[in-house]
Amino acid sequence: MADTRRPLSPHMQIYKWQVQMVTSILHRATGIALAVGTLLVVWGLLALAGGESHFDQFKTCIGSPLGIVLLVGWSWALFYHLCNGIRHLVQDTGAGYAIPQFVRSSWLSVIVSLVLVILVWAWVLTAGGAA
């Protein structure tokens, strides 16, 4: 008979959520979102190559409230993945592994990505963009 008194593996209900865990999960999720969201870019390029009527249809879809949410979400995923990727490059040099630095850089990647999204979309909306 197998010994059934062995300890169970830890799982998400045992661990206390920390910013490092969240940023690690977000980095993976934003990578997937970028890959899927690139289909929007391809659709836009194909619509542009297909002529004015196809591009007008694309602009109508991407200019809808859902389309704007998708674009803002994709741009945040892009900036977050970029900021967190830079953080990982710095850590690859051996720097930033002390817990306070690790937590600070995790928060910094989230905050900088949000600031970049706000700046870019403020510029897009004031310049008359947004499809």
Side-chain angles (χ1 to χ4, degrees):
M1 296 292 286
D3 183 13
T4 58
R5 295 176 295 149
R6 60 188 173 164
L8 297 175
S9 296
H11 47 81
M12 296 308 293
Q13 295 170 342
I14 297 215
Y15 288 117
K16 178 183 170 206
W17 280 89
Q18 299 174 355
V19 68
Q20 304 92 304
M21 292 171 63
V22 174
T23 55
S24 176
I25 293 167
L26 278 177
H27 190 75
R28 290 174 176 90
T30 54
I32 293 168
L34 287 173
V36 172
T38 302
L39 295 174
L40 284 176
V41 175
V42 170
W43 178 29
L45 291 173
L46 290 174
L48 189 60
E52 188 175 348
S53 64
H54 292 297
F55 192 64
D56 285 341
Q57 182 184 12
F58 171 75
K59 287 193 315 184
T60 300
C61 291
I62 213 68
S64 70
L66 177 62
I68 297 294
V69 168
L70 288 174
L71 283 176
V72 171
W74 191 77
S75 59
W76 176 76
L78 175 69
F79 285 127
Y80 176 77
H81 205 76
L82 173 71
C83 293
N84 207 42
I86 292 170
R87 180 175 77 96
H88 280 284
L89 284 174
V90 170
Q91 288 174 341
D92 285 345
T93 67
Y97 276 110
I99 297 296
Q101 292 172 335
F102 203 87
V103 170
R104 190 178 317 117
S105 66
S106 295
W107 278 113
L108 192 63
S109 64
V110 172
I111 292 167
V112 170
S113 66
L114 289 172
V115 168
L116 286 172
V117 167
I118 290 168
L119 289 174
V120 164
W121 277 95
W123 178 74
V124 166
L125 295 174
T126 57

